[in-house]
Amino acid sequence: MSSRISLDELLESRDRRWALERKLIAENEGKTEIVLTVVMPGSVKRNERSLIVANAAVEALCQELGCEPTIIKDLKTGFEAYWLVDGNAKELKQRTCRIEESHPLGRLFDIDVLLPDATPISRQSIGLSPRRCLVCNREARFCMRNHSHTQEEIQEKINQLIKSFQLSNSTH
């Protein structure tokens, strides 16, 4: 269930996702496309933990958007889900960012809202600050660029978030 992927496999999957995003936009003029992936650093992108995160993210987005995803792809290179919805892209980005910021696993959700030219709307363009680091809460890009944390530290934080989420869900 949890096999390592190569950098080439990761890059090929990103290229396929990029092509699918553009195809969906071209075929669904007037709709706003929302793309969900799971933040899972390291060479294992699909495992039991990533599926817990993916299921929680899909549930949160379905609840927020009032519809099921158009496409779901559960791939070795990571989980992907695509929605095509009516609505203003910037307003939808604000709503999806609220999910990322308020859901117990939201830091592990990567929700892109695409403009008609298929470029994702940035958090900064709607007045939000960049994503924060899982481990230390600095700007995530800073820590990624500087390799501030070990894979073990990052994986431990992810494990803590998932365990806490599962515990809180088992008591409800």
Side-chain angles (χ1 to χ4, degrees), residues 34-37 58 61 69-73 79-83:
I34 299 172
V35 181
L36 165 72
T37 55
V58 168
L61 273 164
T70 304
I71 297 172
I72 290 179
K73 293 180 164 235
F79 181 89
E80 303 171 5
Y82 302 80
W83 281 260

Side-chain angles (χ1 to χ4, degrees), residues 133 135-138 143 146-151 153-154:
C133 173
V135 177
C136 71
N137 214 32
R138 281 185 289 206
C143 292
N146 294 303
H147 304 285
S148 301
H149 311 290
T150 65
Q151 280 294 319
E153 288 176 298
I154 296 166

Side-chain angles (χ1 to χ4, degrees), residues 52-93:
I52 291 166
V53 175
N55 289 330
V58 168
E59 183 179 323
L61 273 164
C62 287
Q63 192 171 9
E64 178 66 31
L65 300 172
C67 63
E68 296 292 318
T70 304
I71 297 172
I72 290 179
K73 293 180 164 235
D74 181 10
L75 306 168
K76 175 183 172 186
T77 52
F79 181 89
E80 303 171 5
Y82 302 80
W83 281 260
L84 293 159
V85 298
D86 292 317
N88 176 280
K90 285 199 173 196
E91 289 172 11
L92 287 162
K93 181 63 176 179

Side-chain angles (χ1 to χ4, degrees), residues 100-149:
E100 290 175 341
E101 292 173 356
S102 65
H103 192 283
L105 294 177
R107 185 54 196 89
L108 303 176
F109 303 168
D110 187 6
I111 308 169
D112 286 334
V113 177
L114 305 182
L115 292 167
D117 67 358
T119 58
I121 298 174
S122 71
R123 294 171 58 86
Q124 292 82 347
S125 74
I126 60 165
L128 296 177
S129 58
R131 301 266 326 238
R132 309 309 293 174
C133 173
L134 274 171
V135 177
C136 71
N137 214 32
R138 281 185 289 206
E139 189 175 323
R141 279 186 297 225
F142 172 83
C143 292
M144 287 171 49
R145 218 178 3 255
N146 294 303
H147 304 285
S148 301
H149 311 290

